[in-house]
C-alpha cells in the first residue's frame, strides 16, 4: 500500500483532527501532510479550529490529536 496520495499528499492518521504543534504551542486542524514549494520533506498543514491563517510545521512536532465533530466548526 502506498503512502502517497494525489498532489504528493501523504496519509496520516490524524488528518481532520485537532492537534498541538509543539514547535509553536498552537493548536489546529491537521489538513494535510504534503510538500511546501521546493522543500524536499513534506510538512504538516494546519488550520486554526475557529478559522484563520493556515500554517505549516514539521509533522514530528504534532501531538495530542482530538477528533473533530460536525458541530465543532462551521462547514459553510
Amino acid at each position: 500500500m502506498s503512502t502517497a496520495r494525489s498532489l504528493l499528499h501523504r496519509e496520516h492518521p490524524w488528518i481532520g483532527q485537532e492537534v498541538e504543534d509543539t514547535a509553536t504551542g498552537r493548536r489546529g486542524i491537521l489538513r494535510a501532510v504534503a510538500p511546501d514549494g521546493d522543500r524536499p520533506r513534506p510538512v504538516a498543514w494546519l488550520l486554526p479550529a475557529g478559522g484563520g491563517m493556515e500554517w505549516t510545521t514539521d509533522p514530528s512536532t504534532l501531538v495530542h490529536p482530538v477528533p473533530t465533530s460536525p458541530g465543532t466548526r462551521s462547514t459553510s
Side-chain angles (χ1 to χ4, degrees):
M1 181 158 107
S2 173
T3 59
R5 295 185 345 187
S6 64
L7 300 175
L8 302 177
H9 286 216
R10 304 216 177 213
E11 297 290 335
H12 194 286
W14 297 346
I15 289 178
Q17 296 183 39
E18 184 176 330
V19 297
E20 180 181 344
D21 172 8
T22 60
T24 64
R26 297 173 66 189
R27 293 191 68 81
I29 306 298
L30 178 59
R31 306 279 294 187
V33 176
D36 182 14
D38 293 333
R39 295 181 185 168
R41 291 184 48 193
V43 295
W45 294 79
L46 296 117
L47 182 68
M53 178 88 56
E54 190 172 47
W55 79 96
T56 61
T57 192
D58 188 305
S60 69
T61 68
L62 303 179
V63 295
H64 305 297
V66 177
T68 57
S69 66
T72 302
R73 60 186 187 103
S74 173
T75 58
S76 59

